[in-house]
Amino acid sequence: MEIHAKKINQQLLITVNGRLDASWSDYFTDAFLAFIRNGEHQFVLDAKALSFLSSAGIRSLVRITKELRTVEGSMHIFNATEFVAGTLRTTGFGDWLLDEIPAELKHQNLQPEQNALPENLFLLDKNASLSLKTHTNWKPWQLVKTTDSETMQFPADSYALGIGSPSASGKLFGDFMVVGGHVAYQSPEEKSRPDFLLPIEAYIPEMEVIQSLRTEGSFSHLWRFAPDADKSAFTIAELAGQALSLTHAEMSAFVILAEIDGLVGAHLIQSPALRQAENSPAFPEIRDWLSFSGERVFVGEQAMIFGVVSQHNTTMNNDLLIPLPSMPTLAAHLHAAVFPYQPLQNGELNLKQQLDKFFNGPPPKALMHLIDDQRPEAGLGQSSLIRGAMWCGKVIGKENKL
Amino acid sequence: MLSIKGLSKTFFPNTINEVKALRNVDLTLEAGSFTCIIGTNGSGKSTLLNAVAGTFVPDNGVITVDGTAIGGWTEYQRAKLIGRVFQNPFAGTAAEMSIAENIVMAMRRGQSRPLTRAVTTQAKKEIADKVCMLKMGLEDRLDNPIGTLSGGQRQALTLLMATWLKPKLLLLDEHTAALDPKSAAKVAELTRQIIRDEKLTALMVTHSMQQAIELPDRIVMMHRGQIVEDYQKEDKKRIRVPDLLDTFDRVQKKELFDESVMQLLAEQYV
């Protein structure tokens, strides 16, 4: 089977030559899923040279259209042979067929094949902003005292990161992040997977927190980013800098949902509440308390990141914002939850809908505090992302320490 | 059935090539249990099996089989208690001898073998009955040299020979690794069937995560000469291949966590 693709206006014209049967259906499906991953969501299939379509082939087309439905995409077929068109009509999929070539394709306004989408910027609410509260009663690696923790509720307009424990689960303090009231939490045990707390009906997720950066409010901008011929991925520092730039602020908070090029990070694997000694754990004992990714991980999966960034050495300095070694003018703190890959639709995205989609889908695979690893020679670099969406907003007002 | 306590072995000690292959390993296998050892290359899996089989003398530690300390026994003496299948399908059989002759040798393992006719009519019938379970049609080819068989057929026969006398302990050292996928699956299924039907105590080394999940009732993971994970009972039942891969990943991450990482995290992990 041969598959050729041409971008014509906003549609991808796919020409297929061969048989779509059990032998080729996986190959065909994989090719389409790769197009979708590259941001192509409107397909027109020229089936003139498609000589045969079996039930396995139809299953493949159904799989593709299901995937397209999640990103509000579409697929239509034209030029189908009598056999292929008849098969589709008989099996109830006749509505995929077009009677004639779509008008925009007739003009053959061909564009060269490309992966890049234009950068998209959406102004959501020019007056939107977020307030910041910092909780730093506990500092590594002090003994955790009862007075260090505070019970926090996270309603739908809250975005936070830090170290805490779901209320009533004891003192299992681990890394967590909150996005729109949805809490993702990494239990501090080596073998455990991330857990999550969702705002369902009257329930508001609640955590015992010993350290946090918490913002409340809404985002002013949505920026869609995608690779192009010159740029294959976006580093965290670039994205954080873009958040500041878009919001014209000294400090910004942002949520990113994007395909992962590679993450570098760490998370607690023992609760600090179990610590018996006041001093920092030395090497190699530290390996029993913190896990480091050790390499760039979760390539191709989907990251949900919450971060706060400020211009370094400004009035907005904050104990929990750390200068980025790769861009020392910025200080930031970011936590990332990793989900199995799901495509994002193009254009403007609603954050709440995306949160519902991801938290109600396959569970998160990991949660980590992102690290900018610029160690000489051994450094893994920054985390970076391929394509996705960033919601950002200005953090205003003087820091309100809890 | 098998008890290993404080087992250590260092190869080429005090040289530039020093390898601490086993570091104070403790492991106990219940009678009738089937345990699988997995681990990275050089983790000590095969060394542990070889230590039990008596291939070398460990530096420290005590090994007992069915309550008998076998530390002072030679490899061939241990063969009375231990059946063994190797990775190389050609290692456990004599190529020039017939199928029946090979099996008769196994039928008399650990016993005296006087100068009498070994492959009797009675023995041949017994062999044919048992070879039949392999479902490979070999019962009609008992007089053929075993060297004419495929790797999968020879490994299936080796497995049968190793378990003919119901050993106290069966050691399987990556015994499907050198076979093509179809033969490997067949031998793996035979392994499961024989161990279950004969209620054998078995210790298997494998690199196949799928086999580690499907065949045994316990998984032990080794790394750098130590046991780093032990999945038994409920833990074993719920574990899947991705979980094992995660565990490998976790173990290797720890290796990459050096003092420069500690410094990095001291600066950036608030």
Side-chain angles (χ1 to χ4, degrees), chain A residues 140 163 175 190-191 193 211 266 268 282-283 286-288 290 292-295 320 322 325 369 371-373 375, chain B residues 229-231 235 238 242-243 246-247 249-250 253-262 264-265 267-270:
Chain A
I163 298 171
D175 299 270
E190 219 170 358
K191 294 180 194 173
R193 297 211 162 183
Q211 185 184 85
L268 281 165
F283 187 83
I286 185 74
R287 300 198 295 194
D288 296 328
L290 282 171
F292 179 60
S293 60
E295 56 189 352
L320 295 183
I322 309 131
H369 170 126
I371 300 289
D372 184 359
D373 182 5
R375 286 174 294 157
Chain B
E229 289 290 346
D230 189 350
Y231 297 101
D235 274 348
R238 77 185 171 104
D243 302 314
D246 282 351
T247 307
D249 195 37
R250 211 168 47 237
K253 271 183 195 167
K254 270 200 172 166
E255 290 293 313
L256 297 168
F257 194 140
D258 59 15
E259 287 178 84
S260 73
V261 172
M262 185 178 78
L264 176 74
L265 298 186
E267 291 164 5
Q268 291 194 46
Y269 188 89
V270 178

Side-chain angles (χ1 to χ4, degrees), chain A residues 83-332:
Chain A
F83 173 78
V84 169
T87 303
L88 286 171
R89 287 196 189 96
T90 310
T91 50
F93 297 108
D95 54 347
W96 289 344
L97 293 165
L98 295 176
D99 292 334
E100 57 181 31
I101 300 172
E104 59 268 41
L105 302 187
K106 276 183 185 168
H107 302 306
Q108 289 291 301
N109 179 21
L110 297 184
Q111 295 173 350
E113 275 187 54
Q114 57 180 21
N115 292 324
L117 288 174
E119 294 177 358
N120 282 320
L121 180 62
F122 301 90
L123 184 61
L124 304 175
D125 177 357
K126 67 177 181 184
N127 297 318
S129 64
L130 300 107
S131 61
L132 175 74
K133 290 178 182 173
T134 309
H135 182 92
T136 53
N137 281 8
W138 178 79
K139 290 187 173 62
W141 292 86
Q142 296 171 349
L143 295 176
V144 178
K145 301 185 290 292
T146 312
T147 52
D148 289 341
S149 70
E150 181 188 325
T151 304
M152 288 188 190
Q153 285 197 324
F154 295 103
D157 66 344
S158 51
Y159 302 85
L161 54 79
I163 298 171
S165 169
S167 297
S169 74
K171 302 293 181 189
L172 287 172
F173 297 116
D175 299 270
F176 76 93
M177 62 184 272
V178 181
V179 182
H182 297 63
V183 177
Y185 157 75
Q186 177 65 59
S187 179
E189 292 161 310
E190 219 170 358
K191 294 180 194 173
S192 71
R193 297 211 162 183
D195 216 332
F196 48 91
L197 305 171
L198 305 183
I200 298 172
E201 296 186 354
Y203 173 69
I204 298 174
E206 190 177 276
M207 299 279 288
E208 288 288 320
V209 173
I210 58 172
Q211 185 184 85
S212 76
L213 273 174
R214 173 187 179 142
T215 62
E216 284 179 10
S218 54
F219 297 114
S220 55
H221 292 79
L222 164 63
W223 182 54
R224 299 302 308 269
F225 55 94
D228 59 26
D230 301 322
K231 193 170 187 60
S232 60
F234 297 78
T235 65
I236 287 300
E238 286 171 339
L239 291 163
Q242 178 75 340
L244 283 177
S245 167
L246 289 173
T247 55
H248 303 290
E250 281 193 353
M251 183 184 286
S252 290
F254 54 89
V255 171
I256 298 171
L257 204 49
E259 184 183 345
I260 297 168
D261 181 53
L263 294 186
V264 181
H267 69 267
L268 281 165
I269 52 175
Q270 272 201 84
S271 171
L274 298 175
R275 188 124 185 94
Q276 304 287 327
E278 184 83 36
N279 57 332
S280 299
F283 187 83
E285 188 203 352
I286 185 74
R287 300 198 295 194
D288 296 328
W289 293 90
L290 282 171
S291 170
F292 179 60
S293 60
E295 56 189 352
R296 298 173 66 79
V297 291
F298 299 115
V299 177
E301 305 285 13
Q302 200 90 18
M304 182 182 291
I305 296 172
F306 173 65
V308 178
V309 59
S310 76
Q311 306 280 1
H312 190 36
N313 289 329
T314 66
T315 55
M316 301 290 277
N317 275 357
N318 182 297
D319 290 347
L320 295 183
L321 296 181
I322 309 131
L324 295 174
S326 57
M327 202 177 284
T329 53
L330 301 182

